[in-house]
Amino acid sequence: MQTVVTITGRGLPLPGNDIDTDRIIPARFLRCVTFDGLGEQVFVDDRAQASGQHPFDNPAYQGASILVVNGNFGCGSSREHAPQALYRWGIRALVGESFGEIFAGNCTAIGVPCVTTSPLVIRQVQQLLQSDPQTLLVINLEPLQLGCDSHTWPVELGPGTRRMLMEGTWDACGQLVGQAELIRARAAQLPYLHWGQ
Amino acid sequence: MSQGTLFDKVWDLHTVATLPSGQTQLFIGLHLIHEVTSPQAFAMLRERGLSVPFPSRTVATVDHIIPTDNQARPFADQLAEEMIQALERNCQDFGIQFYQVGSGRQGIVHVIAPELGLTQPGMTIACGDSHTSTHGAFGAIAFGIGTSQVRDVLASQTLALPKLKVRRVEVNGSLPPGVYAKDVILHVIRHLGVQGGVGYAYEFGGSTLAAMGMEERMTICNMAIEGGARCGYVNPDATTFTYLQGREFAPRGKAWDEALAWWSSIASDEDAVYDDRVVFAAENIPPTITWGITPGQGIGVDEVVPVLENLPPADQPIAQEAYRYMQLSPGQPIQGTRVDVCFVGSCTNGRLSDLREAARVAQGRRVATGVKAFIVPGSEQVKHQAEAEGLDQVFLAAGFEWRQAGCSLCLAMNPDQLQGDQISASSSNRNFKGRQGSSTGRTLLMSPAMVVAAAVTGQVTDVRKLLGMTN
């Protein structure tokens, strides 16, 4: 599987706390049996209300791959449709103050890191991207840094998640299935699977 | 680091291995699936040629997309019909029990698993739905997962997860009349914030929780995720055991005695160590209602919409966004706010005890002119029991619609949706922008009794006044 160590690309600033997964992809677009096509619907209602002024519609940010957000991004519903929609739009990594926990786990499961840093750094990076959308950002999970031409900033990521991404084991399925013996042994010891036997 | 808590014990008992990443491979005792977050997971299994090694540990139902007025097949919405057909086919192909509409066991996944006795203390429970935290009310470790993780559970009955910290959230004392479990959890989230629980499991306890029935505890654990905590739980006790005894999938006979002993042993120890602890006094909790666009933007029904200057700086931008979206002004009393739609239902408040409280307020009153009001039982069993008690007749006589089981207006993936900028009084769990099916629709979260009070007066009303409980 593909290792995720550095992500390089232009950034897209999306200010605001508590942006929930219903906003990233409204529930009506979950009426589907595949994730295909979700990229076009990302933030669809927010974008309609912003009448073309939403960062995802700004021509300057087309082709960006690093989303820079504030606190508690991706809170709410567990729908993986949210990271899938962002991924299909072109997002390959997120930098934020904090993330909804289920959302961050869903991102990891598709190889998209959600790294965190301080509100101050987020503000600096968002301002930088607003003044110069062409700025190239680099996230490097090895030293855990976010950088551009002129600056580097420290970022954080849980040690387990970091290793899974760097070693290319972020899709845990194969690893989990490979432990069939241990799984059966654990099941044999759980009393509620064997009541009265 | 926590020690000796139910969370630690259940986590350790279900640990299969420590993965090279350092994460835990955790066995999942009960896996619940529904039509929205499972089809892609089954597609991934087929792509990879994987089987389901523990099919009897997964149970399916249909809830999110189902219409609550006319459930005849095929559904009018072709996309919804495709989704239910995919679930039918997937369950058949992989040997998974599916509780279909009309089976007597269908309903919102977080309502049916407890009422069938599938949800039990000491289990790990996962479902592709964030409100899986509900099942923690039984002393289970239960959490929402994404679709790739649904695939992982189907293929291995395990998940790769980092361990959470444990915060003890204690509520002590007697709740004042007219104050419900919903008010307790809205109050907790108001004070701990919508991201205060990120990285934590919430252990809810204290004398207020001890005095609550299982359905009230479910309401509280259901909304742990709205406070950022992926799972919330209550230690199992006599109330838990009494609820479970005799239910379809609860152990019986000799097994029941074994179960009781084990369930008691997995509760948190007296001297358990927590990563954090917060305490609330029940007497200080008012009927609580959200005014904004996050579940943390709650106020007492007697309070006014907060003034910007009185909020911490970090909360001010979202408050400004909320004033605009909700069309409410800072300093405006929330009481008296006109409502268009009133909804009692959802995995938070769609159980029999919720409907009984709602009916108590509706009895002898009429839905106000111009208000659309409807009651959606959380499951076919709840509907049946409510009808046996005559609750449906109380609602119908008061001018409410009496619907069939489903998620309904909570997330509006079905025909129940707000129109334009309608404002709803809702017993559900999320007041996010656009949550209830219209991109400008507005939601006020409150207890079922308060929803009915709003329905019969046409505006946000303190239910205690209607019930003569003024203090």
Side-chain angles (χ1 to χ4, degrees):
Chain A
M1 199 183 303
Q2 189 194 338
T3 59
V4 180
V5 181
T6 59
I7 301 96
T8 305
R10 285 186 292 112
L12 194 167
L14 186 67
N17 286 330
D18 305 317
I19 294 178
D20 58 78
T21 53
D22 273 86
R23 282 173 66 185
I24 300 173
I25 184 84
R28 63 184 182 277
F29 298 109
L30 274 49
R31 286 155 52 248
C32 57
V33 293
T34 77
F35 291 129
D36 303 342
L38 289 177
E40 289 155 35
Q41 286 132 6
V42 71
F43 284 111
V44 66
D45 288 341
D46 281 13
R47 290 161 76 177
Q49 279 164 25
S51 316
Q53 301 304 302
H54 193 276
F56 274 79
D57 285 324
N58 186 330
Y61 298 122
Q62 301 310 303
S65 58
I66 298 177
L67 186 61
V68 184
V69 297
N70 294 94
N72 205 27
F73 184 84
C75 58
S77 161
S78 64
R79 60 189 70 169
E80 189 174 307
H81 306 67
Q84 293 279 359
L86 291 168
Y87 184 88
R88 280 165 169 70
W89 190 87
I91 299 301
R92 293 293 178 269
L94 291 90
V95 188
E97 294 171 30
S98 64
F99 293 93
E101 206 159 294
I102 304 176
F103 173 83
N106 289 342
C107 285
T108 305
I110 59 171
V112 172
C114 292
V115 301
T116 58
T117 184
S118 70
L120 186 69
V121 170
I122 292 294
R123 194 157 61 238
Q124 285 175 7
V125 178
Q126 287 180 340
Q127 283 170 356
L128 180 72
L129 295 171
Q130 280 156 353
S131 60
D132 181 8
Q134 294 306 314
T135 308
L136 205 60
L137 297 177
V138 182
I139 296 173
N140 190 335
L141 299 186
E142 177 62 60
L144 274 176
Q145 268 178 358
L146 168 68
C148 66
D149 268 357
S150 51
H151 292 80
T152 58
W153 301 273
V155 293
E156 292 178 33
L157 185 64
T161 304
R162 177 171 172 244
R163 276 194 67 171
M164 290 169 94
L165 289 163
M166 290 183 62
E167 292 172 0
T169 57
W170 41 268
D171 178 341
C173 194
Q175 232 174 40
L176 296 175
V177 170
Q179 306 271 35
E181 283 297 311
L182 286 174
I183 295 168
R184 272 197 294 276
R186 178 47 57 187
Q189 288 167 11
L190 289 172
Y192 61 82
L193 296 184
H194 314 283
W195 292 134
Q197 288 172 21
Chain B
M1 212 167 69
S2 63
Q3 254 181 348
T5 69
L6 178 143
F7 186 86
D8 291 283
K9 295 183 195 184
V10 173
W11 187 273
D12 290 348
L13 272 165
H14 290 79
T15 297
V16 171
T18 301
L19 296 169
S21 66
Q23 292 199 331
T24 302
Q25 182 174 6
L26 197 72
F27 188 88
I28 300 303
L30 176 64
H31 183 212
L32 304 167
I33 60 171
H34 58 81
E35 73 283 10
V36 180
T37 56
S38 69
Q40 297 88 346
F42 284 107
M44 291 188 245
L45 289 188
R46 290 193 177 95
E47 262 168 43
R48 298 180 189 201
L50 293 166
S51 61
V52 178
F54 294 84
S56 67
R57 301 313 301 169
T58 295
V59 171
T61 194
V62 55
D63 52 9
H64 286 65
I65 50 118
I66 191 160
T68 62
D69 47 2
N70 178 2
Q71 298 185 333
R73 298 281 299 276
F75 296 147
D77 176 356
Q78 196 188 330
L79 294 173
E81 178 62 27
E82 271 175 39
M83 291 172 81
I84 192 171
Q85 284 183 15
L87 186 60
E88 288 166 344
R89 190 172 55 247
N90 289 328
C91 287
Q92 192 167 27
D93 288 357
F94 290 92
I96 291 164
Q97 177 69 56
F98 174 39
Y99 291 124
Q100 177 64 278
V101 179
S103 65
R105 297 179 180 82
Q106 176 268 339
I108 305 174
V109 64
H110 310 310
V111 176
I112 68 160
E115 74 187 5
L116 292 170
L118 287 163
T119 299
Q120 294 171 17
M123 283 182 170
T124 46
I125 303 178
C127 174
D129 189 285
S130 61
H131 293 111
T132 307
S133 56
T134 310
H135 306 265
F138 290 80
I141 297 305
F143 43 81
I145 57 178
T147 295
S148 294
Q149 291 174 311
V150 171
R151 169 203 67 202
D152 292 350
V153 180
L154 287 169
S156 73
Q157 206 59 36
T158 65
L159 283 171
L161 292 166
K163 195 176 173 187
L164 298 171
K165 294 183 283 185
V166 185
R167 173 179 290 147
R168 169 96 173 160
V169 180
E170 203 162 300
V171 189
N172 291 310
S174 303
L175 287 174
V179 178
Y180 299 92
K182 181 61 159 290
D183 302 304
V184 173
I185 189 62
L186 286 173
H187 183 80
V188 167
I189 299 169
R190 172 188 184 180
H191 290 280
L192 298 182
V194 288
Q195 54 173 317
V198 172
Y200 284 96
Y202 278 180
E203 177 181 296
F204 294 104
S207 64
T208 312
L209 270 290
M212 283 182 176
M214 291 313 297
E215 298 190 352
E216 295 169 280
R217 295 178 188 180
M218 283 190 250
T219 297
I220 294 203
C221 292
N222 173 275
M223 289 188 69
I225 184 64
E226 308 313 332
R230 193 172 191 175
C231 77
Y233 68 90
V234 178
N235 282 303
D237 61 9
T239 302
T240 320
F241 308 148
T242 304
Y243 176 96
L244 281 168
Q245 193 159 23
R247 290 192 186 260
E248 187 171 348
F249 290 95
R252 294 166 195 280
K254 172 169 160 276
W256 175 256
D257 298 330
E258 281 174 34
L260 276 189
W262 187 67
W263 292 343
S264 303
S265 76
I266 50 106
S268 294
D269 297 333
E270 291 272 329
D271 58 354
V273 179
Y274 297 91
D275 298 287
D276 190 31
R277 183 187 285 266
V278 288
V279 181
F280 294 92
E283 64 193 22
N284 296 337
I285 302 177
T288 301
I289 173 168
T290 62
W291 66 271
I293 54 173
T294 81
Q297 291 175 314
I299 50 176
V301 67
D302 288 331
E303 294 177 52
V304 297
V305 174
V307 176
L308 201 61
E309 301 76 58
N310 294 344
L311 293 170
D315 294 346
Q316 291 184 7
I318 190 109
Q320 283 177 305
E321 200 176 334
Y323 300 142
R324 276 194 304 273
Y325 186 84
M326 296 299 293
Q327 304 172 33
L328 292 171
S329 307
Q332 167 185 349
I334 195 71
Q335 239 178 116
T337 305
R338 307 291 304 179
V339 297
D340 302 305
V341 175
C342 292
F343 166 59
V344 174
S346 85
C347 59
T348 313
N349 281 124
R351 298 184 180 81
L352 188 60
S353 60
D354 299 312
L355 303 193
R356 284 181 183 149
E357 282 304 312
R360 195 156 76 93
V361 184
Q363 178 82 52
R365 297 190 168 87
R366 285 289 304 174
V367 170
T369 309
V371 172
K372 177 183 174 65
F374 58 114
I375 313 279
V376 185
S379 71
E380 292 182 346
Q381 276 200 33
V382 170
K383 179 169 190 282
H384 179 76
Q385 290 162 343
E387 288 172 355
E389 291 184 14
L391 303 183
D392 59 325
Q393 294 308 313
V394 174
F395 292 126
L396 289 166
F400 289 84
E401 293 175 43
W402 175 246
R403 298 289 189 83
Q404 300 180 80
C407 295
S408 185
L409 186 62
C410 175
L411 89 167
M413 273 190 77
N414 49 69
D416 300 333
Q417 301 179 359
L418 296 183
Q419 306 298 323
D421 67 353
Q422 279 186 328
I423 186 162
S424 79
S426 180
S427 75
S428 56
N429 42 56
R430 288 188 172 136
N431 52 345
F432 297 155
K433 285 178 166 182
R435 169 75 176 182
Q436 294 190 302
S438 162
S439 63
T440 50
R442 299 169 290 163
T443 305
L444 306 170
L445 301 176
M446 60 189 83
S447 71
M450 286 277 290
V451 171
V452 174
V456 299
T457 57
Q459 54 184 278
V460 174
T461 298
D462 187 342
V463 69
R464 295 173 301 186
K465 287 184 188 161
L466 285 190
L467 296 179
M469 293 169 176
T470 42
N471 45 1

